[in-house]
Amino acid sequence: MKIEKKVFGELNGEKVYSFTLENRNGMKVSCITLGCIITDVIVPDKNGKLENVVLGFDNVESYIKDSPYFGAVCGRVAGRISNGQFELDGQIYELPKNDANNHLHGGPEAFDKKLWDAQEINVIDAVGVEFSYVSKDGENGYPGNLSVRITYTLNEQNELSITYHATTDKKTIVNLTNHSYFNLSGDLKDDILSHKLQVKSSEILELNANVVPTGKFMNVTNSPFDFNTGKKIEEAISSTHEQIQLVGQGVDHPFLLDDHQNEEIVLIDEKSGRKLIVETDQQSVVIYTSNMLEEPFDIRGTKARRYMGVCLETQGLPDSINHPKFSPCILDTGEEYKTSTTYRFNVLK
Ligand code: FUC
């Protein structure tokens, strides 16, 4: 196994580094110190052909200018906070609004735009990178100095594991995720409509027209959101269901996971034979079928278009701080925020 460190580019006169982790199967994961962004995940198809299965760019400028969070860590709080406002211990916090009237993915210049410190990890059966960043008290409106550590490790079982740790010196809120857009066809040959998705989830959160949870849980039975036995993504997003139409003819919903660390999310592209299994300790996964990916930019030579990738954002429930029925994402002093998600890449037999 090996790690290769290179200069990826520059941001405001500071160097951005890339780390490429490689195992003996030829699987490679590249990530950069800007936003802990995963730029490449190169895995074999059923014939052993190695191709990239995530959306990304090869330069810093595109990540700053065009990126809809490709491969990045979202924080301090992933998803939308309605009206950019929350209350904690009787105090109202106002957050910058960067998505209509809402605060999205930690706000402007959030974790995805920061330069993180990085340390290589080299252990017996894995290689990786530990990223760290201290978000100052008041950054993007949030209370407390928040110390964050995120590790990416790759092992010989073609597993990419992400762990998230955070501590604070003042009560705050935190909900971290990784926003990789997967496309198992390899090097963006096809879109993700014919990918098969299986999710062990019997409930989703209903959304309003601003893509913010209404507070209602919706049972998936007899709805396009029932992925329990696995089906093609296009089957769901071609539906006339109002929740599908509301988010731009697609899925952009939090799914509550019924099972954990037990193949709870499986994505398959039959043509290439690639299979991705996601396991997590998180309560939910926000599945986003890139319904809004229509910006006029290129992704390594291919024009960006809808349904080019599917995000599997494992996390606590979005906007939970504003919904008493959701488990809160509060972190107090003396506590440790700790969570992990593993992405295992296989081929169909
Ligand atoms: C996802 C979605 C959002 C947004 C963003 C780029 O997390 O929930 O709707 O468009 O990504």
Side-chain angles (χ1 to χ4, degrees), residues 69 95-110 140:
Y69 303 92
L95 308 176
K97 295 173 183 174
N98 57 334
D99 176 78
N101 197 38
N102 304 308
H103 173 89
L104 174 66
H105 292 326
E109 302 290 313
N140 264 341

Side-chain angles (χ1 to χ4, degrees), residues 154-209:
L154 173 67
N155 65 17
E156 296 292 11
Q157 286 71 51
N158 286 5
E159 288 176 334
L160 163 64
S161 294
I162 306 186
T163 67
Y164 305 83
H165 302 257
T167 52
T168 182
D169 62 1
K170 189 172 169 191
K171 204 180 206 182
T172 190
I173 59 173
V174 59
N175 187 9
L176 304 176
T177 194
N178 178 278
H179 208 294
S180 287
Y181 289 65
F182 295 99
N183 181 326
L184 301 182
S185 71
D187 294 344
L188 300 182
K189 274 197 288 298
D190 301 314
D191 55 34
I192 50 89
L193 292 171
S194 58
H195 281 36
K196 209 172 123 191
L197 179 65
Q198 186 171 10
V199 187
K200 295 181 184 174
S201 168
S202 45
E203 277 185 323
I204 62 159
L205 292 186
E206 184 192 77
L207 301 176
N208 68 22

Side-chain angles (χ1 to χ4, degrees), residues 158-278:
N158 286 5
E159 288 176 334
L160 163 64
S161 294
I162 306 186
T163 67
Y164 305 83
H165 302 257
T167 52
T168 182
D169 62 1
K170 189 172 169 191
K171 204 180 206 182
T172 190
I173 59 173
V174 59
N175 187 9
L176 304 176
T177 194
N178 178 278
H179 208 294
S180 287
Y181 289 65
F182 295 99
N183 181 326
L184 301 182
S185 71
D187 294 344
L188 300 182
K189 274 197 288 298
D190 301 314
D191 55 34
I192 50 89
L193 292 171
S194 58
H195 281 36
K196 209 172 123 191
L197 179 65
Q198 186 171 10
V199 187
K200 295 181 184 174
S201 168
S202 45
E203 277 185 323
I204 62 159
L205 292 186
E206 184 192 77
L207 301 176
N208 68 22
N210 300 318
V211 200
V212 170
T214 61
K216 280 202 197 120
F217 294 84
M218 194 190 102
N219 192 291
V220 299
T221 313
N222 296 324
S223 85
F225 297 95
D226 188 352
F227 285 96
N228 283 286
T229 55
K231 66 181 177 200
K232 287 196 170 158
I233 289 179
E234 69 187 342
E235 227 184 279
I237 69 179
S238 58
S239 162
T240 55
H241 194 286
E242 91 35 72
Q243 283 290 306
I244 292 281
Q245 294 188 337
L246 196 75
V247 297
Q249 205 61 46
V251 176
D252 193 357
H253 291 74
F255 287 67
L256 284 102
L257 294 169
D258 295 337
D259 202 358
H260 291 91
Q261 318 287 17
N262 188 24
E263 306 206 350
E264 52 269 32
I265 308 162
V266 179
L267 184 69
I268 290 174
D269 173 43
E270 267 158 9
K271 208 161 142 197
S272 68
R274 290 192 180 95
K275 179 175 177 182
L276 164 61
I277 298 155
V278 182

